Amino acid sequence: MAAVDQKAPTFAVAGNRLDPAARASHVDHPVLWLGLLSVLYNGILAFINHNIMPLSLTHVAASEGLIMASAIIYILHKGIYETDLPAFLFLLFTLVVTIYVIVLNRVPFVDHFRNVLIIFCFSGLGGWSNEKTMKLAFRWASLAVLIFLIFEIVSVPFYVSIVHPSDYFANTRGLLPLSYNKTGLFQNALGFPERFSFGIIDHRSSSIFLEQVSLANFCGVIAIYLISMWERISRWDRLLFIATAVLILVTNDTRTMLIFCFACIVGYFVFPKIPKNFNLALMPLIVVAGFLVYTMKPNATGDNFTGRINLTMKKIMELDPLAVLGLSVGRVAEFADSGYVYLIYAATVFGVIAFWLFVCLFPAGRTAAQRRCAHSLSLFIFLNMMIGGTAVFSMKIAGLLWFVVGYMRFHDSPRIRQGRAADVES
């Protein structure tokens, strides 16, 4: 056995060592299916719940656990390299914070650790994915979302007959449908007359996600993928992703993602000119902008942009001092609609700082495409946390989001294993 430079990449598939070119043409099926399941698992469970057997929250948790356990096994089998350490250390730090919060509050609270574990798993899978595998994962996921979205637009009864969101959330989350909801849709998707709408359908679309918020945020994930990979995907893929995003925007009535998608169009040209570390200033700037909105319109309320910003700012200013140190985790459920406050209560101020640094510094920023990915990721997450809650942490969204971030981080850059040289057959 002859030792080679420890910086040289070594690729192994089914016991055979492949060069990078051969690896690029190979579909990594475990990575592909884990990426797809992160988007589709709720829809699959809803189909089973409505058409085969009733399910419970235990089945949902077990499904998520199985996906993440499979991802961890895959990542550990590949090995931890020097360039994997930021994600690994972030996960380890979060585990320490989680134990600290549990001990102080005497409450088994692992929500934030679960959120960071999702980030670790899918950024890791993305880092090991080749281009062909990632393209297939996004193409099939987008196609599934588009097909179910068309079903929902054309015939709500047919869509409900497949997945019946109302029954699924009643059985697995305990969210019983309101008396006026006879549609079979998730009740929060019904909207109300004063809400922003294009008027295409009479409710907010949900597609394979079963509820409207995740579908809206999936549109943001598509936008990040498009500006990161635009020069490397085919014309037909561009058409598929644009058609899916546009159909979501005109049926989901999402103001935030409409703004974000326009920002990404401009950002395609602007983001490459901005240093990646500018992202460190983005979260503080968004919070300061929220404070200015609050000072100008302190009485603004309701389900609109200024109303949602004011809600978050009021909760920040009313923050329980003990929550900063993780002593009020029992109140975390009150802040599911205010991302920054939720994160403080769930992870302490130290967890918030760690999350901020990871989001800003983990993505690569060497190439124009990588800077587009890095800047759009930060804008997507930090803007979402100002006007929304925990949606960006759910596997349905965070899975493919961090999948593409992990891929872009290692794009054209081999991993480096510290401390020992790789061996190849002499």
Side-chain angles (χ1 to χ4, degrees), residues 68-69 71-76 79-81 83-92 94 112-128 355 358 362 393 398-399 402-403 406 410 415:
M68 286 192 283
I72 291 170
I73 291 170
Y74 181 92
I75 292 167
L76 293 179
I80 301 296
Y81 287 67
T83 40
D84 298 314
L85 287 179
F88 180 76
L89 293 175
F90 179 42
L91 181 67
L92 186 62
T94 304
H112 181 60
F113 181 75
R114 163 192 170 271
N115 296 339
V116 174
L117 185 60
I118 291 171
I119 294 173
F120 173 81
C121 288
F122 286 93
S123 62
L125 290 175
W128 282 110
F355 179 74
F358 184 80
F362 179 76
F393 298 113
W402 287 99
F403 190 85
F410 294 105
R415 281 176 168 79

Side-chain angles (χ1 to χ4, degrees), residues 41-63:
Y41 79 99
N42 255 298
I44 295 170
L45 292 177
F47 175 83
I48 295 172
N49 177 76
H50 183 57
N51 297 282
I52 301 176
M53 58 175 284
L55 301 180
S56 68
L57 180 59
T58 302
H59 295 95
V60 180
S63 299

Side-chain angles (χ1 to χ4, degrees), residues 80-354:
I80 301 296
Y81 287 67
E82 177 186 355
T83 40
D84 298 314
L85 287 179
F88 180 76
L89 293 175
F90 179 42
L91 181 67
L92 186 62
F93 176 81
T94 304
L95 178 60
V96 172
V97 171
T98 300
I99 294 172
Y100 162 82
V101 169
I102 290 174
V103 170
L104 288 185
N105 292 271
R106 298 180 181 179
V107 174
F109 181 79
V110 296
D111 285 27
H112 181 60
F113 181 75
R114 163 192 170 271
N115 296 339
V116 174
L117 185 60
I118 291 171
I119 294 173
F120 173 81
C121 288
F122 286 93
S123 62
L125 290 175
W128 282 110
S129 175
N130 57 35
E131 188 169 303
K132 184 173 184 179
T133 301
M134 189 189 64
K135 286 180 177 178
L136 281 175
F138 270 85
R139 183 185 305 154
W140 290 359
S142 184
L143 189 60
V145 170
L146 180 61
I147 289 171
F148 273 81
L149 182 54
I150 292 172
F151 288 164
E152 183 181 1
I153 293 169
V154 172
S155 174
V156 169
F158 177 67
Y159 167 75
V160 169
S161 72
I162 302 173
V163 290
H164 210 296
S166 180
D167 278 358
Y168 178 70
F169 285 109
N171 288 350
T172 63
R173 308 298 197 280
L175 300 174
L176 299 177
L178 299 175
S179 58
Y180 61 80
N181 181 13
K182 307 298 184 183
T183 63
L185 298 171
F186 180 47
Q187 57 204 29
N188 290 358
L190 299 182
F192 47 88
E194 297 80 16
R195 184 181 171 84
F196 161 80
S197 173
F198 284 101
I200 305 296
I201 56 178
D202 61 358
H203 64 279
R204 296 185 65 191
S205 56
S206 303
S207 185
I208 197 71
F209 299 102
L210 314 177
E211 44 83 18
Q212 75 287 350
V213 176
S214 291
L215 179 62
N217 283 311
F218 184 73
C219 182
V221 175
I222 290 176
I224 293 171
Y225 176 75
L226 275 174
I227 69 168
S228 302
M229 293 289 294
W230 182 262
E231 297 169 358
R232 304 176 71 92
I233 59 178
S234 69
R235 183 180 303 174
W236 287 109
D237 274 353
R238 293 175 184 174
L239 181 62
L240 169 64
F241 295 125
I242 292 173
T244 304
V246 169
L247 199 57
I248 292 171
L249 290 174
V250 298
T251 59
N252 187 265
D253 306 337
T254 169
R255 299 146 299 185
T256 307
M257 286 304 107
L258 188 63
I259 294 169
F260 176 73
C261 287
F262 277 115
C264 284
I265 293 172
V266 176
Y268 181 85
F269 305 98
V270 175
F271 289 159
K273 304 179 188 301
I274 303 174
K276 192 198 78 167
N277 287 343
F278 170 79
N279 286 339
L280 289 167
L282 189 58
M283 185 178 84
L285 286 174
I286 288 176
V287 174
V288 169
F291 181 76
L292 292 176
V293 170
Y294 175 75
T295 57
M296 289 187 293
K297 295 185 176 181
N299 298 318
T301 58
D303 189 17
N304 52 59
F305 215 64
T306 54
R308 297 302 293 269
I309 290 173
N310 277 9
L311 177 66
T312 295
M313 295 312 301
K314 286 178 181 177
K315 289 181 177 180
I316 289 177
M317 288 184 287
E318 296 169 357
L319 195 65
D320 180 355
L322 294 177
V324 175
L325 298 176
L327 297 171
S328 301
V329 74
R331 296 186 57 197
V332 71
E334 300 173 25
F335 309 106
D337 290 330
S338 299
Y340 289 110
V341 185
Y342 165 83
L343 198 57
I344 292 171
Y345 273 82
T348 77
V349 67
F350 308 109
V352 173
I353 292 172

Side-chain angles (χ1 to χ4, degrees), residues 10-30:
T10 303
F11 303 102
V13 177
N16 298 317
R17 301 196 180 272
L18 302 177
D19 61 28
R23 181 178 179 267
S25 64
H26 171 76
V27 176
D28 194 331
H29 290 95

